[in-house]
C-alpha cells in the first residue's frame, strides 16, 4: 500500500505513537543531528543538512525545509536497543545470606522516527548477534520486540556514505512498520508512505491520507535513483573476505597504524559493533554489588588481554583485527558483512582514516608483505 500524507499528518503520527511509545527521532543538538526523545514536529531538523568528509562534520542550512534532508549523525539506534551502559543484576547481602535480582524496571517501548536503510540493516545484524542464536540477550530482546520503526528513504547521500556498495541502501525495503519518502516541490511538502507491517497499516489508517498517484511513485523512484548516484564513497566488495583474510602481514597495517590513535571512535559510532566489557561494583560496606555491562572496543589494549598480556599489543594489529572482522570474518560468523556503508567511522575518525581507502590500498597491492612483527590475529 502506498499513500501520501502531509506534514500535519506527520505530526499526528508522532502524537499517536507518543500515546504508547517513547518517540525518538533526529534533532539538532550541539552542532550535530542526534537521536533524542521528541514530541513535536518542530523538533525535527527541518532545513538542515550535514556536510561530511573524512574526519569532518558540520551542519549547514538548506535552501528548502526538508525535514530529513541529511545523511546520518554520530548516533545510531544501537544506543537505545543495546545501551552503552546497562546494569545486568544487583546483589545484596543481609542476615539471610546473599540475594541476586535482575535489573529493576521494565524497558520502555521505543518508536524510532527517521531510520535509514543502512540503519535497518544494522539493526538486523544486531538482531543476529543478540537474539539470533540459542542464547538470547534478554534486555535486547525486550527492547527490540516492542520497537515501532518509521523508516525514511534517503534523499541525500553524505560525503562518506557508501551504502550502495554494501547493498544496504538508500532504499528501505524491509524491517520497518512504515517508510516515508519526503516529496518536496514549489507547492508541496508531502510524504509518500509505504506499509511494512500490520501495526504500520493500523497506524496509517488513523491518519489523514490519500492514495499515492503514479506521479508520486515516480517521484519516489527518482529520489532514490538520484541518491544512489551521489554516494560520497565506494567500496569494492567482490572477494574482499578472501583478500583481507589472506593479508595478515600487509604493509598497509603499519601505514595506517602510524596515523591511527586507537581511540575507538570508529567502533563507538558504528551501528553494528557490539563488543562489551563487564564490571562488578560494590559499595564501601560490601553489602551491595552490581554487574554492569559497558561498550568496549577492539582498539583498547585491555580488550584482548588474557593471562600474561594482551594478544594485540600494536595499533596495526588492532586496526587489522577491526577491518578484517568487519568486512571478512563477520561473514563467517553471521552470514553478512558487518559494515552497512553508513560512513560514520570515516567521518568521526579524528585523523580521517577511511575504511574504503584502506581496503582499496590492500586490493591494489595484494602481495606486499610487512617488514615487522604484528601482535597476534
Amino acid at each position: 500500500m502506498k499513500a501520501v500524507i502531509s506534514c500535519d499528518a506527520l505530526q499526528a503520527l508522532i502524537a499517536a505513537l507518543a500515546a504508547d511509545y517513547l518517540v525518538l527521532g533526529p534533532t539538532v543538538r550541539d552542532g550535530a543531528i542526534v537521536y533524542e526523545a521528541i514530541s513535536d514536529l518542530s523538533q525535527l531538523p527541518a532545513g538542515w543538512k550535514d556536510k561530511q568528509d573524512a574526519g569532518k562534520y558540520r551542519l549547514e542550512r538548506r535552501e528548502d525545509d526538508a525535514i530529513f534532508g541529511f545523511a546520518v549523525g554520530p548516533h545510531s539506534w544501537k544506543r537505545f536497543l543495546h545501551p552503552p551502559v546497562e546494569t545486568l543484576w544487583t546483589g545484596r547481602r543481609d542476615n539471610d545470606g546473599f540475594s541476586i535480582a535482575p535489573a529493576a524496571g521494565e524497558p520502555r517501548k521505543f518508536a524510532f522516527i527517521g531510520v535509514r536503510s543502512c540503519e535497518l540493516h544494522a539493526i538486523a545484524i544486531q538482531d543476529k548477534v543478540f537474539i539470533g542464536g540459542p542464547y538470547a540477550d534478554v534486555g535486547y530482546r525486550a527492547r527490540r520486540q516492542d520497537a515501532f520503526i518509521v523508516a525514511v528513504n534517503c534523499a541525500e547521500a553524505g560525503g562518506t556514505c557508501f551504502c550502495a556498495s554494501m547493498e544496504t541502501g538508500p532504499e528501505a525495503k524491509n524491517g520497518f512498520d512504515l517508510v516515508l519518502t519526503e516529496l518536496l516541490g514549489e507547492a508541496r511538502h508531502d510524504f509518500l508512505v509505504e506499509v511494512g507491517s500490520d501495526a504500520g497499516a493500523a497506524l496509517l489508517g488513523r491518519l489523514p491520507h490519500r492514495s499515492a498517484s503514479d506521479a508520486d511513485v515516480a517521484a519516489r523512484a527518482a529520489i532514490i535513483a538520484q541518491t544512489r548516484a551521489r554516494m560520497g564513497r565506494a567500496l569494492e566488495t567482490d572477494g574482499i573476505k578472501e583478500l583481507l583474510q589472506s593479508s595478515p602481514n600487509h604493509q598497509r597495517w603499519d601505514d595506517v597504524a602510524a596515523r591511527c590513535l586507537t581511540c575507538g571512535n570508529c567502533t563507538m559510532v558504528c551501528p553494528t559493533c557490539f563488543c562489551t566489557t563487564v564490571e562488578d561494583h560494590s559499595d564501601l560496606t560490601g553489602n551491595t554489588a552490581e554487574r554492569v555491562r559497558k561498550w568496549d572496543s577492539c582498539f583498547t589494549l585491555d580488550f584482548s588481554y588474557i593471562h600474561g598480556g594482551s594478544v594485540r599489543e600494536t595499533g596495526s594489529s588492532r586496526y587489522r583485527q577491526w577491518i578484517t572482522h568487519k568486512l571478512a570474518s563477520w561473514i563467517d560468523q553471521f552470514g553478512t558483512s558487518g559494515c552497512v556503508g553508513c560512513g560514520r567511522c570515516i567521518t568521526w575518525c579524528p585523523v580521517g582514516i577511511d575504511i574504503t581507502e584502506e581496503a582499496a590500498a590492500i586490493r591494489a597491492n595484494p602481495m606486499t608483505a610487512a617488514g615487522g612483527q604484528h601482535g597476534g590475529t
Side-chain angles (χ1 to χ4, degrees):
M1 176 182 179
K2 293 182 174 64
V4 174
I5 64 172
S6 66
C7 287
D8 288 341
L10 182 58
Q11 172 62 60
L13 182 151
I14 294 172
L17 288 172
D20 298 306
Y21 299 89
L22 174 62
V23 181
L24 299 155
T27 191
V28 175
R29 179 169 62 81
D30 299 332
I33 293 175
V34 298
Y35 301 141
E36 299 285 2
I38 62 170
S39 58
D40 192 87
L41 188 69
S42 63
Q43 293 173 274
L44 296 175
W48 288 100
K49 63 180 178 180
D50 48 15
K51 300 289 288 185
Q52 301 191 43
D53 206 340
K56 298 177 181 178
Y57 176 97
R58 70 176 185 273
L59 294 183
E60 294 181 351
R61 276 294 184 182
R62 296 177 56 90
E63 295 180 355
D64 56 34
D65 292 324
I67 292 174
F68 300 105
F70 57 94
V72 292
H75 284 180
S76 70
W77 305 101
K78 178 178 77 172
R79 66 185 285 255
F80 303 107
L81 298 174
H82 173 43
V85 180
E86 182 177 7
T87 300
L88 302 178
W89 55 259
T90 58
R92 179 175 295 276
R93 182 167 59 186
D94 52 33
N95 294 333
D96 296 326
F98 186 76
S99 61
I100 294 178
E106 292 294 323
R108 297 292 302 272
K109 292 173 61 176
F110 296 130
F112 299 154
I113 307 292
V115 183
R116 308 301 173 132
S117 178
C118 63
E119 298 177 313
L120 292 172
H121 281 80
I123 292 172
I125 288 171
Q126 294 241 305
D127 287 350
K128 290 184 179 181
V129 173
F130 289 112
I131 56 178
Y135 304 104
D137 184 286
V138 175
Y140 181 93
R141 181 173 59 193
R143 290 182 289 267
R144 177 71 178 94
Q145 67 187 3
D146 291 327
F148 190 100
I149 295 178
V150 180
V152 172
N153 285 322
C154 290
E156 292 285 342
T160 57
C161 290
F162 56 101
C163 65
S165 297
M166 308 309 295
E167 299 182 358
T168 57
E171 179 184 9
K173 297 180 179 180
N174 50 56
F176 53 80
D177 295 287
L178 296 172
V179 59
L180 311 177
T181 305
E182 191 165 13
L183 305 177
L184 280 163
E186 292 184 3
R188 72 177 305 186
H189 190 173
D190 299 318
F191 299 88
L192 188 146
V193 186
E194 297 166 82
V195 173
S197 71
D198 291 342
L203 179 56
L204 179 60
R206 297 164 55 189
L207 305 176
H209 66 273
R210 64 170 175 82
S211 296
S213 66
D214 291 343
D216 296 323
V217 175
R220 170 198 178 278
I223 288 169
I224 292 170
Q226 174 181 282
T227 307
R228 185 181 299 276
R230 293 182 177 179
M231 291 285 123
R233 295 290 197 278
L235 177 65
E236 176 57 61
T237 60
D238 288 347
I240 195 167
K241 174 179 175 292
E242 295 74 18
L243 174 70
L244 291 174
Q245 290 180 338
S246 64
S247 304
N249 296 315
H250 200 287
Q251 178 63 45
R252 190 69 182 190
W253 306 131
D254 287 333
D255 294 342
V256 72
R259 294 172 284 138
C260 179
L261 305 177
T262 64
C263 65
N265 263 21
C266 52
T267 59
M268 295 296 105
V269 297
C270 177
T272 67
C273 280
F274 59 89
C275 292
T276 57
T277 188
V278 174
E279 299 177 354
D280 290 334
H281 304 153
S282 63
D283 65 5
L284 293 176
T285 68
N287 290 324
T288 62
E290 63 178 6
R291 175 159 291 177
V292 177
R293 182 171 66 186
K294 297 181 176 180
W295 286 359
D296 202 352
S297 170
C298 56
F299 280 92
T300 64
L301 188 61
D302 286 345
F303 185 77
S304 65
Y305 183 88
I306 59 175
H307 181 69
S310 177
V311 172
R312 291 182 285 273
E313 295 183 344
T314 64
S316 58
S317 64
R318 279 175 259 163
Y319 187 84
R320 179 189 63 199
Q321 158 65 20
W322 177 70
I323 191 174
T324 303
H325 185 211
K326 186 68 58 178
L327 298 178
S329 53
W330 202 297
I331 299 171
D332 294 327
Q333 287 180 284
F334 305 112
T336 67
S337 174
C339 176
V340 295
C342 69
R344 287 183 175 95
C345 62
I346 305 171
T347 298
W348 298 98
C349 174
V351 294
I353 295 172
D354 185 335
I355 188 174
T356 65
E357 178 185 338
E358 301 310 319
I362 292 173
R363 187 181 293 277
N365 297 284
M367 301 304 294
T368 301
Q373 291 294 113
H374 292 278
T377 59

